Amino acid sequence: MASYDVIVIGAGPGGYVCAIRCAQLGLKTACVEGRDTLGGTCLNVGCIPSKAMLHASHLVHEAEHNFSAMGIGVAAPKIDWPQMLAYKDDVIGQNTKGIEFLFKKNKIDWLKGWGSIPEAGKVKVGDEVHEAKHIIIASGSAAASIPGAEVTIDEKIVVTSTGALDLPKIPKKMVVVGGGVIGLELGSVYARLGTEVTVIEFMDGIVPGADKEVARSFEKILKKQGLEIVTGAAVGKVETLKTKAKVSYKLRKDDSEHQIDADVVLVATGRVPFTEGLGLDALGVKLSPRGQIETDGHFRTSVPGVYAIGDAIAGPMLAHKAEDEGSAVAEMIAGQKPHIDYNLIPGVIYTTPEVASVGATEEKLKEAGRAYKVGKFSFMGNGRAKAVMQSEGFVKLLADKDTDRILGCHIIGPSAGELIHEICVAMEFGASAEDVARTCHAHPTFSEAVREAALACGDGAIHA
Ligand code: NAI
């Protein structure tokens, strides 16, 4: 039996960052992980592999659609699927081994196996029981099924994102259930590789929580790229046949029934907290009706000495939210007073164009009755975007009508996922739109579009 200051359960972005931060703060730390590699869903079967596939498939799209216009003559790209998967696996390996290196560097013990908490202060891994003054649950989430539908996920024909990242071949036809982040990122990957992709979304538009203007523009762009998108449709049944599946859905507007065949059905209807096998019931850790571990403002569960962070608790299921919570709980245990502003957690969809947002949407501001102004700038007016043939999209900045303080930003366009951070920092410092507008931005950059949107909150953009 070993004794630690902290044992973290789960080595995803929440857990491994938490363990590193604990070690940095001088706490004797171990991290329990049952997978063969560190990094959790994000590094093994989520964020990182999907970004490799998005990158590779984007280059295929560029070669097919834009090379000739730039004067580059190449034969039509041939896709070596096993090699594309090997490239993705190599990217995963580099990242997961990187975390292993960081654990060694920070003298964090990796307790290999699935952990449970037999009682406060103790963590069981395999046959061994370890002691810890503080236990942090960072057990993450698992894919949800389709609510109210008959469906069996076999990870071959009916898959979650995990199966979709490891298909034996590129499917001819794919149905994606759920027009959220996973559905649109992976739907884009396969659409670019030649798959006929149909996205079926329950709500009246894709990415339901997003700024409506951005979501509408995004839907149009994706349709132009060849994705079929059916909205306002409830999937009732996914029937698995020998080598394909049949998806039955009902259009909510007229109750009409429809069926569609596919070689692969991707279920991307959200994720649920993963807390199985931890022994939380017997321990007395309270869960919400949605299965999330209940915590107070300091990540403390209902059992003293047991904390929880990341996808297993309330809030957006995002790797960077989990990372911030991992750092924060470590700092709290070490006696510091960290703070997370949940209004400033950015969201990014890594399609082409990318979609990114931070702060309030226009809809939320209206709902709250807040007086606001909108500064918008199209990438059509941005020289750099034109130069790289990516001038679709816009930056939309929302600021308080009277004080000019930035309240939110929504971007659809090239590198939106990078551009958004300028506004995250500005909002952290309580900046006004004028602060951003008066900051010199290098030319020619996509960032100039952000400055122009800020100018549009005042006297007006220059290039509009
Ligand atoms: P999501 O919550 O983003 O989207 C699920 C979609 O499915 C919603 O649009 C919802 O209206 C729809 N839906 C629900 N039930 C349905 C039904 N019966 N029929 C049709 N549509 C239905 O969830 P998603 O895409 O599965 O992602 C899971 C989590 O992982 C999310 O919290 C997401 O933010 C996170 N994630 C984040 C990424 C990023 O930051 N780039 C990448 C991938 C995942």
Side-chain angles (χ1 to χ4, degrees), residues 230 233-234 237 246-251 254-260:
V230 183
K237 193 172 176 184
K246 193 179 277 180
V247 179
S248 307
Y249 65 92
K250 201 188 242 185
L251 284 183
D254 57 9
D255 272 352
S256 57
E257 306 264 3
H258 303 259
Q259 283 197 335
I260 178 169

Side-chain angles (χ1 to χ4, degrees), residues 14 114 137 139 186 202 238 268 305 313 335 401 418 432:
W114 300 101
I137 303 170
S139 52
L186 291 176
F202 182 80
V238 181
I313 69 169
K401 198 167 190 318
E418 306 294 335
S432 64

Side-chain angles (χ1 to χ4, degrees), residues 146 178 180-182 185 200-202 208 268 270-271 317-318 348 350:
I146 306 172
V181 187
I182 293 182
E185 286 186 0
I200 303 178
E201 165 58 46
F202 182 80
R271 296 180 66 84
M317 288 183 163
L318 295 169
V348 180
Y350 298 86

Side-chain angles (χ1 to χ4, degrees), residues 46-47 50-51 141 144-149 176-185 200-203 205-209 233-236 267-271 311 315-320 346-350:
C47 322
S50 62
K51 261 75 270 174
S141 60
S145 191
I146 306 172
V176 176
V177 185
V181 187
I182 293 182
L184 299 175
E185 286 186 0
I200 303 178
E201 165 58 46
F202 182 80
M203 302 301 278
I206 58 169
V207 278
V235 170
V267 176
T269 47
R271 296 180 66 84
D311 284 10
M317 288 183 163
L318 295 169
H320 43 285
V348 180
I349 309 176
Y350 298 86

Side-chain angles (χ1 to χ4, degrees), residues 291-305:
Q292 296 156 326
I293 299 174
E294 286 192 353
T295 52
D296 64 7
H298 296 82
F299 307 107
R300 290 182 292 217
T301 70
S302 52
V303 174

Side-chain angles (χ1 to χ4, degrees), residues 211-217 220 362 372-382 392-399 408-412 433 448-464:
D211 184 272
K212 287 274 169 291
E213 206 177 350
V214 168
R216 274 195 298 269
S217 162
K220 259 193 221 152
E362 204 173 340
Y372 65 93
K373 52 187 172 178
V374 182
K376 245 178 86 179
F377 187 78
S378 163
F379 280 100
M380 287 295 283
N382 179 271
E392 272 178 324
F394 56 87
V395 179
K396 176 174 175 179
L397 197 68
L398 301 166
C409 183
H410 307 276
I411 309 177
I412 176 164
E448 287 174 290
V450 177
R451 183 190 205 180
E452 292 269 27
L455 281 164
C457 282
D459 290 344
I462 300 294
H463 297 89

